[in-house]
Structures are given as C-alpha cells and as structure tokens.
Amino acid sequence: MSFQVPAIDPARLPALLQAMPKAELHMHIEGSLEPEMIFALAERNGVKLAYDSVEALRRAYAFTDLQSFLDIYYAGASVLLKEQDFYDMARAYLDRAVADNVVRTEMFFDPQTHTDRGVPIDVVINGLHRACVDAEREQGISAALILCFLRHLSEDAAIATFKAALPHKDKFIGVGLDSSEVGHPPEKFARVFAMAREEGLHLVAHAGEEGPPEYIWSALDVLHVERIDHGVQSVRDPQLMQRLAKDRIALTVCPLSNEKLCVFPTLADHNIKQLLEAGLVATVNSDDPAYFGGYMNTNFTRLFAEVPGLTAQHAYQLAFNSIYASFASVGDKGRWVRRLDEAFEEAAAAA
Ligand code: ADE
Ligand code: ZN
C-alpha cells in the first residue's frame, strides 16, 4: 500500500465508508434470503413454513451462538427448489452489493443444504452462476462463487459433493468450509481440500469464529488455505498473529455477525482495530446479511460508529485489504485501488 491517506474531516467519514469501492469476500448466498423472499418462494413452491408471518420469522432471529443461527438458516433455505429461485436470490443480493459500492464479491454457497433435500447440484450451480454473469454484464459488478462443504457432515459426503460439482468447475473459483465449527476441526477435511488443490481451485475455510486458534493453524498447515474466514480468535495466540501477518493471510471478519452470534459482548468490544494494528490483513464482510442486521455498508458504518478510535486510515486499509485479498485478476485489483484512492482524495478535497 503506497497511497498516503489524506486527512479526512471525521464528519465526512460515514459518507466515505459508503462511497468507497470495496470487495466482499465472506457472504453466504443462502444468508441473503430476506424473510419477505422466504415467504414469496414458499408460496411459489408450495413449501410449508414453521412461521405464520414475516414478522414472526424476524422475531425468531434472536441468536445466542452459531448453532442457534444455523438451525433457522437451514430451515430458511428449504424454500429454494428451482434454478430460478437460486437466480432470484443471488440477483437480489447482487443489487444490494452494487448499491453499497461493492465492486467484487466472492459468494459462498452450500450445495449439500440443497442436494440433501433432493435438489440437483446442477440446478444450484447453474442458477447462481447465471446470476453472476447477468449482474456482471448489466451492473458491472465482478461476482464469483466459492463452494462450501458443511463441516458437521462427513468428509466422504464432502468428497461426493466435490465430485458431483467438478463438471461445473468453470463456474466456481474455490472451495470453503462452513457450518458448526466446534468439534469439526479443519483436518477432518484434509483429503477433499487436497483434491481441490490438485484441481487448481482457491482454498478458504471458516476458522476461529467460535473455535480455538488451533483450528486456524490446521486450516493453514493441513488444508493450505489462502484466507481465513472470521479468524477473530487469533488474538488468543501471539505466535499465530505473527504467522498471519508474516504470510499476509487475510481474515474475512464479519462484525455484525459476531455481534448477533455473541462472539463479542457488544460491537464496541470487537477486536478489528487490534487486528489491523497488529498488521493483519483484516477485511469487513456481511456473512449472512438478511439474518444479522445489514449488508456491507451497514457493517462499515456501525463498526466505525461504535468501535472507539477507528479513523479514515483504518477505513482505507480495510477497503484496500478487501481488494488485495480477493481472487480477482491483478488488472482488476489495480483498477479498483485507483478508484479507492480517488474516493479518498475527493473526500479530502471537499470543503
Ligand atoms: N454458514 C452460514 N454462516 C455461517 C457462519 N457464520 N459460520 C459458519 N457457517 C456458516
Ligand atoms: Zn460465514
């Protein structure tokens, strides 16, 4: 990062947080299903829901930990049956991302959540991929897919999923690991990650959301991931912090998710400033925006409003990190960083 971040009037920071170009590297497309869309798809597909109304469903979004969220999240995804459902869900998220000046998004999807209900994997991947292609053409956002394995299921099930997805290898850029973390360490998935590596795919994994620093070490050293999703528990291990900084391993941090799932007592207690100031490549992401109270710009504005001491310098670093840590081409990254620099120069020049 060679850009000298100019002095910005703090009053201008909220607008700058919104306007600055940014990449989203950690969001689950099934977590973008708003209650209204869950009800609309349930009606369209004749699926019976356990809640009587949008309001009743929203009221159930009071989570105490990751598992309490996942139970509701998997139930919400049960309305997705047809290729058009996956397409519509992804286009709705991509519209929100464009509105938040997200220039690049790498979206997770969980094929097993759907194939285990009898939805063919081709339906899932084709619907999501068509949405990426159309949004890129019509709205200029760069969008890619990362296939996640559900870690509460077996590695054999992950391998079967991976093999079924391989004919679509041109439609996703990497693999990841999500769902219930504690008790399902990364090394459980060593073989399937080795297969994905052989295929030249990018590798990421959730680690250190609720799980211990050891899970981050094994994601790095056994799975050979390029980024860590969440990773906020790394502060418990100074040697791990040094390793992450030295190897410039990005952490895809999700502030509103961490608040909603009680990873930190309040948003003000979040450790994002500590991560940045230790030289880690931290980024801000929305995780499951329909469930956690906001998309990218809400994550940025609430974080900067509530965590003491965050400045324009931190904002620039977070946006820069997100572009740097994305799996986009070097040419695209250069173009987006120039736009980022311009956004900061304009905000500094504004009287
Ligand atoms: N799946 C969707 N959101 C998740 C999260 N925050 N952690 C693990 N798995 C997830
Ligand atoms: Zn996640």
Side-chain angles (χ1 to χ4, degrees):
M1 191 187 97
S2 53
F3 182 66
Q4 185 71 39
V5 179
I8 306 279
D9 177 351
R12 294 196 181 279
L13 191 50
L16 180 56
L17 291 170
Q18 314 237 346
M20 66 184 186
K22 51 187 79 73
E24 173 143 64
L25 307 179
H26 182 163
M27 73 84 51
H28 303 260
I29 194 62
E30 294 90 348
S32 73
L33 263 185
E34 293 286 345
E36 290 78 5
M37 190 177 269
I38 291 178
F39 272 80
L41 290 175
E43 169 119 27
R44 185 157 106 185
N45 290 330
V47 174
K48 180 99 187 74
L49 293 170
Y51 299 89
D52 289 339
S53 65
V54 165
E55 295 70 35
L57 178 56
R58 258 212 183 89
R59 273 197 299 277
Y61 294 179
F63 312 117
T64 50
D65 59 9
L66 175 58
Q67 193 59 51
S68 65
F69 154 69
L70 289 172
D71 294 341
I72 286 194
Y73 161 82
Y74 293 129
S78 68
V79 299
L80 297 161
L81 293 180
K82 313 251 171 60
E83 185 179 315
Q84 193 63 34
D85 305 337
F86 291 90
Y87 179 90
D88 291 345
M89 169 176 67
R91 285 304 300 260
Y93 159 70
L94 288 162
D95 282 350
R96 296 295 301 259
V98 168
D100 283 359
N101 293 304
V102 172
V103 292
R104 164 81 175 176
T105 179
E106 297 176 5
M107 307 181 291
F108 296 141
F109 68 108
D110 289 338
Q112 290 159 292
T113 299
H114 314 298
T115 53
D116 286 0
R117 296 180 290 112
V119 178
I121 198 162
D122 314 63
V123 164
V124 179
I125 297 181
N126 288 336
L128 296 176
H129 181 254
R130 190 159 55 85
C132 293
V133 171
D134 287 357
E136 190 145 356
R137 190 184 60 246
E138 292 168 21
Q139 295 164 288
I141 186 170
S142 169
L145 295 169
I146 296 178
L147 182 160
C148 282
F149 303 115
L150 297 181
R151 70 201 304 160
H152 68 275
L153 301 177
S154 70
E155 188 183 37
D156 284 346
I159 290 173
T161 301
F162 185 61
K163 287 185 175 163
L166 269 184
H168 298 280
K169 207 183 100 177
D170 57 323
K171 302 186 188 116
F172 58 96
I173 60 167
V175 302
L177 186 63
D178 65 3
S179 191
S180 321
E181 184 182 9
V182 174
H184 302 284
E187 57 270 26
K188 177 177 163 188
F189 295 89
R191 286 182 300 144
V192 73
F193 270 69
M195 290 168 67
R197 199 167 175 223
E198 278 285 295
E199 293 288 342
L201 289 160
H202 288 292
L203 308 177
V204 300
H206 283 53
E209 177 181 14
E210 290 182 340
E214 288 73 30
Y215 285 19
I216 301 177
W217 282 110
S218 61
L220 294 173
D221 292 335
V222 181
L223 302 189
H224 303 289
V225 299
E226 299 158 81
R227 299 192 301 241
I228 296 286
D229 297 315
H230 293 292
V232 291
Q233 303 299 338
S234 58
V235 297
R236 291 158 49 189
D237 181 341
Q239 258 186 308
L240 176 59
M241 296 277 275
Q242 278 177 17
R243 164 79 184 279
L244 293 166
K246 177 175 76 64
D247 289 349
R248 303 208 39 79
I249 304 287
L251 303 185
T252 63
V253 176
C254 305
L256 293 184
S257 164
N258 294 155
E259 179 195 46
K260 269 278 191 186
L261 302 188
C262 308
V263 172
F264 297 95
T266 72
L267 193 57
D269 301 305
H270 201 285
N271 63 13
I272 190 90
K273 187 163 175 281
Q274 183 184 354
L275 295 170
L276 286 172
E277 292 179 359
L280 270 61
V281 185
T283 63
V284 165
N285 306 273
S286 71
D287 206 4
D288 299 283
Y291 292 89
F292 297 151
Y295 291 75
M296 280 291 265
N297 281 356
T298 309
N299 270 273
F300 272 103
T301 48
R302 281 209 45 216
L303 193 65
F304 277 72
E306 293 174 47
V307 173
L310 286 179
T311 64
Q313 174 72 44
H314 296 110
Y316 182 89
Q317 190 69 57
L318 287 166
F320 179 90
N321 288 350
S322 72
I323 294 168
Y324 166 87
S326 77
F327 297 135
S329 70
V330 171
D332 279 343
K333 291 185 193 188
R335 217 159 34 82
W336 296 326
V337 169
R338 280 193 292 282
R339 278 170 57 186
L340 175 64
D341 294 356
E342 282 162 17
F344 275 72
E345 278 158 2
E346 278 167 27

